Amino acid sequence: MKCIRTPIQAEVTKYDQDSSMEDGFELYSEVITKNNVDCKNLIQIERGGQIVCPYITTRRGRTFIKEGDYIVVEEDGTKLVCGGDKVFSRYREI
């Protein structure tokens, strides 16, 4: 059966380190040793002499934010991280 995604209205905002869009931070050393994450373009922020990476908590767990990513907040409050290369093929501005 072929299906098409139901249109869902969402707020799409390019990630900005200074806007508190993330749900939290994890030490970079923990990200690369304990998570199965592609670290290419992963945002790294220095805080208190340590390097941390911002993330969003989703239904599938933590999604770490990379350079150029957008934070998508759907009508029901669900948060997603979407790459800048895909966001506007999935969402169109209204």
Side-chain angles (χ1 to χ4, degrees), residues 16-80:
D16 178 9
Q17 295 181 50
D18 299 322
S19 64
S20 300
M21 300 167 75
E22 65 283 317
D23 291 331
F25 296 90
E26 187 168 325
L27 286 172
Y28 179 69
S29 59
E30 298 285 321
V31 173
I32 61 175
T33 58
K34 294 185 178 179
N35 297 286
N36 186 19
V37 175
D38 176 11
C39 294
K40 185 178 179 185
N41 299 327
L42 197 63
I43 293 178
Q44 300 172 38
I45 302 168
E46 184 178 345
R47 290 214 166 150
Q50 296 182 315
I51 303 297
V52 295
C53 301
Y55 65 83
I56 295 295
T57 303
T58 68
R59 288 177 276 196
R60 296 180 180 160
R62 291 181 177 171
T63 302
F64 292 92
I65 304 169
K66 296 184 177 189
E67 295 291 336
D69 279 354
Y70 285 76
I71 307 302
V72 177
V73 182
E74 295 181 346
E75 285 182 318
D76 65 357
T78 301
K79 283 186 179 179
L80 308 165

Side-chain angles (χ1 to χ4, degrees), residues 5-12 59 72-78 80 90-92 94:
R5 186 181 289 188
T6 304
I8 299 171
Q9 189 171 343
E11 185 68 32
V12 177
R59 288 177 276 196
V72 177
V73 182
E74 295 181 346
E75 285 182 318
D76 65 357
T78 301
L80 308 165
R90 296 180 181 174
Y91 298 92
R92 63 179 167 80
I94 55 173

